[in-house]
Amino acid sequence: MRNLTLSLFAPALLFYLAAAGCTRVNMLYCDSTYPCGMGMVCVMPQHECQPGAGDMRPGMPDLANPPPDLRMADGGFVCTSDSQCAALSAKLPACIAGACQPCRRNFQCPDSACDDNGTCHDPAVVIHVNDGAGCGGAGNPFCNVQDAMAAVGPGKNVVLLDPSKGEGITKAGSPINISKSVRIIGKRASVAAPLVVLLDPISIATPMTPIAVGIEDLEVSPRNSGSTLGIFCVQSDQGIAFTLRWSKVDQAHGGGIGIQSCSPVVMISNQIVNNRGILASYGGVLISTQDLTLLNNVIANNLGSGLDTLAAGLSLPTTPAATQIAFNTVVNNDCATPPCNLKCGQSLNMSYMIAQKDGTVGANCNLSRSVVPVDVNGGTMNIKIMPDFVDPTQFDYHPQVTAKNQMLLLMDDKPVVGYDLDDNPRPGKGGVAIGAYQLP
């Protein structure tokens, strides 16, 4: 599909190249004089540049790494802003390092969102939600996500939240029930911009056909909804693929995220903090799936109930057949019965993890190249220290610049994910840092 996409937009690029006076005949042509750009390989005898890095798993887009660098050797489209690139082509909407390239983040697509091939969605598929004056009238944006879900269907499957009020979008704490394929995205201007706040819990269940649901650039904070999970996904007769990226789940009073049999599950660059469980429940994240990708997440300061039997931080009661678990910071979660931070039902390997307090990581969790308590068994090349964080009381788990934290740096040049939770590149200065964040 990616090769077809490249072939389709090549004529448009040639038109712009000719207009710009570029001398290279075809940006996809390659030989000893014209090598392919980063992330591309020269396929012979066609002399054609094609993506060189395959997907993480067959049939699934590579969500952990940016799309290939499609800049040409002679400079391509020179730019200073995303808007310049978006005006040229939806195929190359992002201005990165002075050249127009495929998008990787949603804010690089004005009034739309970035798909997993680095292309902006057609604005025609976007449903807008804005809680400002006049919303909900004929031809106006929807006032809340629940009402917008009625419009989701073929040709309309992206819900973009652009609130006008600072407290966040809500429908009186009413759960958002999802049974159709959809991406729900908060509209932001940059990585540094605040997340769009959604005050309603999300429930994904009972689809009529297999569906894929994505939640991105949102702070799901159902603090006014009583005892309820922040995000709940349960697979029944049909399959549910669930993705959570660049988001935050906090102040849920029935647990942060609960996933039962939905598969595949992809969680990249999120914060799950300050949630609490009820009855015999966990506080942070419970995942039961057969296919899990868990990268660059902070799971911290979650509280289990007094009767909990699961970890208050991250509970993995079943061992997924396919897993990719790395670069997560799972700390300062409390419960009545340890292990409180991390618990695995069966033997499960993971790496580059910060999993602390002492004695609160389950014995079945096999951590390597990680920061772990003294008494954790198994794994290799672990570091038994507690890092210095910026401000755990405010859920800020960036590592401080201290001599002790230099121990977090490992000399690996090809980490499983090429950036950290803040979108800083891995490896950074000094090496690849253990945990969700690179050292500054």
Side-chain angles (χ1 to χ4, degrees):
M1 180 58 73
R2 289 185 178 177
N3 295 343
L4 176 60
T5 303
L6 291 171
S7 301
L8 290 174
F9 72 71
L13 286 173
L14 291 174
F15 172 80
Y16 286 115
L17 284 172
C22 297
T23 58
R24 190 171 186 174
V25 176
N26 186 343
M27 70 162 287
L28 298 181
Y29 177 84
C30 57
D31 58 20
S32 58
T33 303
Y34 294 103
C36 296
M38 184 182 302
M40 309 285 281
V41 295
C42 189
V43 176
M44 301 297 286
Q46 295 93 331
H47 289 278
E48 182 178 0
C49 291
Q50 296 183 10
D55 292 338
M56 289 189 297
R57 291 184 297 277
M60 184 174 180
D62 187 343
L63 300 175
N65 293 291
D69 185 347
L70 299 185
R71 287 179 296 168
M72 291 167 291
D74 57 3
F77 303 127
V78 177
C79 60
T80 58
S81 68
D82 291 342
S83 60
Q84 292 175 334
C85 296
L88 285 171
S89 171
K91 301 288 186 180
L92 301 170
C95 185
I96 302 173
C100 293
Q101 300 184 40
C103 59
R104 191 177 68 81
R105 294 297 299 266
N106 294 311
F107 55 75
Q108 293 165 334
C109 297
D111 296 319
S112 180
C114 182
D115 67 19
D116 292 323
N117 294 316
T119 300
C120 293
H121 283 291
D122 184 340
V125 309
V126 179
I127 301 168
H128 292 271
V129 174
N130 186 309
D131 56 353
C135 67
N140 293 324
F142 288 92
C143 301
N144 55 70
V145 180
Q146 291 89 326
D147 293 344
M149 286 303 302
V152 172
K156 286 282 188 180
N157 54 13
V158 177
V159 177
L160 187 63
L161 279 62
D162 184 15
S164 63
K165 302 175 184 177
E167 65 269 21
I169 287 182
T170 185
K171 189 177 181 180
S174 176
I176 300 168
N177 296 310
I178 299 176
S179 58
K180 296 178 284 186
S181 290
V182 66
R183 294 177 69 195
I184 304 177
I185 299 169
K187 186 174 182 179
R188 305 170 67 194
S190 67
V191 171
L195 294 168
V196 172
V197 178
L198 178 63
L199 293 170
D200 300 323
I202 297 174
S203 177
I204 309 165
T206 61
M208 299 301 293
T209 59
I211 63 172
V213 177
I215 310 295
E216 301 170 14
D217 293 300
L218 286 178
E219 178 179 344
V220 181
S221 183
R223 48 186 177 267
N224 299 321
S225 301
S227 299
T228 183
L229 282 162
I231 298 177
F232 178 60
C233 183
V234 57
Q235 182 171 306
S236 53
D237 294 335
Q238 300 295 333
I240 302 175
F242 174 69
T243 299
L244 182 71
R245 289 190 285 183
W246 310 305
S247 294
K248 182 178 182 180
V249 179
D250 69 318
Q251 301 186 67
H253 296 166
I257 298 175
I259 296 173
Q260 297 180 15
S261 300
C262 298
S263 184
V265 174
V266 176
M267 291 176 52
I268 299 177
S269 296
N270 304 291
Q271 300 176 71
I272 299 91
V273 299
N274 195 28
N275 302 285
R276 70 169 184 257
I278 57 173
L279 300 177
S281 179
Y282 54 95
V285 181
L286 170 69
I287 300 177
S288 175
T289 181
Q290 292 302 307
D291 193 336
L292 173 62
T293 298
L294 197 67
L295 305 169
N296 284 350
N297 299 285
V298 171
I299 304 173
N301 296 81
N302 299 290
L303 177 64
S305 72
L307 299 175
D308 56 68
T309 58
L310 301 167
L314 175 61
S315 289
L316 302 169
T318 59
T319 303
T323 61
Q324 191 173 51
I325 305 174
F327 293 105
N328 301 293
T329 299
V330 187
V331 295
N332 291 338
N333 300 284
D334 289 317
C335 64
T337 307
C340 295
N341 277 310
L342 181 58
K343 186 173 182 179
C344 306
Q346 301 178 49
S347 180
L348 186 59
N349 296 326
M350 53 194 76
S351 60
Y352 297 94
M353 305 279 288
I354 299 179
Q356 281 278 12
K357 291 179 173 180
D358 288 349
T360 59
V361 174
N364 288 328
C365 304
N366 303 324
L367 279 67
S368 298
R369 309 176 79 84
S370 298
V371 174
V372 298
V374 174
D375 58 355
V376 168
N377 297 319
T380 59
M381 296 183 66
N382 289 324
I383 301 170
K384 298 177 177 64
I385 63 168
M386 186 64 177
D388 297 321
F389 297 116
V390 171
D391 191 354
T393 63
Q394 297 299 315
F395 321 121
D396 188 344
Y397 284 95
H398 289 84
Q400 295 184 34
V401 181
T402 62
K404 183 170 70 170
N405 279 352
Q406 293 300 308
M407 296 181 65
L408 299 176
L409 293 171
L410 301 177
M411 298 309 296
D412 293 352
D413 59 353
K414 294 182 180 180
V416 66
V417 58
Y419 55 91
D420 74 352
L421 198 152
D422 285 338
D423 264 8
N424 296 315
R426 297 186 190 272
K429 182 179 179 181
V432 179
I434 298 171
Y437 298 104
Q438 278 290 133
L439 266 70

